[in-house]
Amino acid sequence: MIGGNIDERWMRLALSLGTRNAGQTWPNPFVGCVIIKDTLVVGRGYTQQGGRPHAEAIALSQASNNAKGSTVYVTLEPCAHTGKTPSCAKHLIDAGVKRVVIATIDPDNRVSGKGMQLLKDAGIEVTLGILKKEADESHAGFFSRINKKRPFISLKIATSLDGRIATQTGNSKWITGVDSRHYVHYLRATHDAVLVGRGTVEADNPSLNIRGLGDKITSPVRIVIDSNVSMDNNSFLASSAKVSPVWICHADGANFNKISKTGAISIPCKRNKDGIDLLDAMKNLAQNGLTRILCEGGGKLGAALLKENLVDQLIIMQAGVAIGSEGTAAIGKMDINNLQDAPNFKMKETRKIGNDILSIWSRTT
């Protein structure tokens, strides 16, 4: 039997392969697969744009006859259900593989445990849990959509040393440097969608597209929280909705007729005292297939998401500039009186990015 350290080595390769199409495979997870025979890689694959073909199918196609008697490393349990294509578990069985090493179980009820059982019933040796923690993190968006019925949400903030995102006149271009701005395009590419509020559209007229990463990357869905659908039809987002998707989360009953002419998509949501019920909005977005959302909205939207416990990850880019208390705060009003009521995050990573500091934080609860 192949040793544990070797299993980890090949699973790390599979995880690395899977992330190549992060943000490009929704509603499916971005899975990686490696096939090993006689210590050599005979096949490797990762889920393609739009979610198909699956990683296992691509790796098996590469391996061809070498798949027989091989060991397969896959970052998520092979699917057991037949949809547009036969199940990956059946593909592996038909290929005659000897052993399948799975990082983590698929929580989808159509698969959960069933793919693994099909393999075992066919006499294939199955090993589960190699680099499970890393795989769970990689598939956090897909898991969130299945288990929490909402997408995984990253809140990105570009801020000054004193926690400001704009001057007192609203000027915010550019607080952070070129390297940080390029990193934001990478973040957009690895999330299914980018989220802003109507206030950001009015103040900045953003494009929210991807630049500088080649022409093979599919731009994310661009989402606007706009309860009364008052966004300007001449804004960059509205005017480009037929080129790259724009979804508008608005209150039930709001008049969508005018903006619909631009090609924007309506996502009706429940209304609450603050406007849109964000939890309902996230539920609706998940039902539309989204697994990972990057929020680039202003301090008000960021605070609202934090108050509703909807932020899974904070991504902070801090520049070496001081703006002063009269500037716009990075996070808006949250009405917290007791420190123990404040949302808590733990540090995942911190590093220098150009002349800025990047820090990534995960929600602790």
Side-chain angles (χ1 to χ4, degrees):
M1 182 181 291
I2 297 175
N5 289 337
I6 295 298
D7 281 350
E8 289 188 6
R9 172 190 173 188
W10 294 125
M11 189 60 77
R12 287 191 194 282
L13 176 57
L15 285 164
S16 176
L17 285 169
T19 59
R20 290 188 181 185
N21 262 345
Q24 304 289 299
T25 67
W26 66 277
N28 290 347
F30 42 90
V31 177
C33 179
V34 179
I35 301 177
I36 306 298
K37 188 171 185 181
D38 299 328
T39 72
L40 298 175
V41 176
V42 295
R44 60 182 186 174
Y46 49 94
T47 310
Q48 296 300 289
Q49 287 182 326
R52 282 184 172 78
H54 288 183
E56 297 95 323
I58 293 174
L60 285 169
S61 178
Q62 284 188 7
S64 189
N65 293 334
N66 286 319
K68 187 173 184 179
S70 67
T71 295
V72 178
Y73 294 84
V74 62
T75 63
L76 187 67
E77 179 184 10
C79 61
H81 58 289
T82 300
K84 295 180 180 178
T85 58
S87 76
C88 290
K90 188 177 187 305
H91 271 314
L92 293 167
I93 293 166
D94 291 346
V97 306
K98 180 180 180 181
R99 179 174 179 245
V100 178
V101 182
I102 302 168
T104 193
I105 290 288
D106 188 332
D108 189 323
N109 288 331
R110 298 171 299 173
V111 182
S112 188
K114 298 180 180 70
M116 190 167 62
Q117 193 59 51
L118 281 174
L119 297 172
K120 289 180 177 180
D121 290 346
I124 295 172
E125 181 185 347
V126 176
T127 301
L128 174 67
I130 301 298
L131 298 187
K132 180 182 185 302
K133 180 180 178 182
E134 291 85 344
D136 286 347
E137 183 174 328
S138 181
H139 298 305
F142 178 69
F143 287 1
S144 181
R145 179 173 176 263
I146 298 296
N147 296 326
K148 297 180 181 180
K149 310 304 180 188
R150 68 165 179 84
F152 180 94
I153 298 176
S154 301
L155 174 59
K156 186 272 295 182
I157 300 172
T159 179
S160 64
L161 287 172
D162 50 347
R164 295 306 193 248
I165 59 174
T167 67
Q168 61 182 335
T169 62
N171 181 238
S172 61
K173 293 185 178 181
W174 298 100
I175 290 177
T176 52
V178 173
D179 293 318
S180 290
R181 298 200 295 275
H182 186 72
Y183 181 70
V184 169
H185 289 281
Y186 162 78
L187 290 174
R188 290 175 183 174
T190 54
H191 286 74
D192 310 342
V194 179
L195 173 69
V196 296
R198 180 180 55 82
T200 295
V201 177
E202 288 182 352
D204 299 338
N205 194 24
S207 64
L208 304 181
N209 56 18
I210 297 172
R211 300 183 293 278
L213 296 179
D215 57 4
K216 293 183 178 181
I217 300 292
T218 300
S219 289
V221 173
R222 298 166 298 168
I223 305 169
V224 182
I225 302 292
D226 186 2
S227 57
N228 296 317
V229 198
S230 55
M231 190 172 83
D232 187 347
N233 277 29
N234 293 317
S235 67
F236 189 95
L237 290 179
S239 62
S240 63
K242 292 180 180 178
V243 177
S244 186
V246 173
W247 296 2
I248 300 179
C249 292
H250 61 87
D252 278 321
N255 189 341
F256 199 78
N257 291 337
K258 181 181 177 183
I259 199 76
S260 68
K261 297 174 183 177
T262 68
I265 302 299
S266 166
I267 307 291
C269 305
K270 294 177 183 177
R271 186 190 290 271
N272 62 21
K273 62 182 179 64
D274 298 315
I276 290 292
D277 182 327
L278 289 175
L279 189 58
D280 186 61
M282 294 307 124
K283 177 183 176 181
N284 293 339
L285 292 171
Q287 289 176 346
N288 279 277
L290 296 181
T291 67
R292 290 163 54 88
I293 293 177
L294 175 68
C295 178
E296 292 192 47
K300 184 178 179 181
L301 179 57
L305 291 169
L306 286 166
K307 285 175 69 175
E308 293 293 334
N309 295 319
L310 291 172
V311 176
D312 300 291
Q313 180 173 252
L314 274 174
I315 302 171
I316 312 275
M317 282 165 283
Q318 190 175 44
V321 60
I323 290 176
S325 63
E326 66 274 23
T328 304
I331 296 174
K333 186 178 179 182
M334 292 183 60
D335 297 315
I336 294 173
N337 295 318
N338 299 309
L339 192 57
Q340 59 265 33
D341 296 329
N344 276 276
F345 294 81
K346 63 179 178 180
M347 174 75 75
K348 278 180 59 180
E349 175 187 352
T350 183
R351 60 184 169 89
K352 191 173 183 290
I353 180 167
N355 197 44
D356 306 324
I357 295 295
L358 169 69
S359 59
I360 301 177
W361 304 73
S362 294
R363 188 65 185 259
T364 56
T365 56

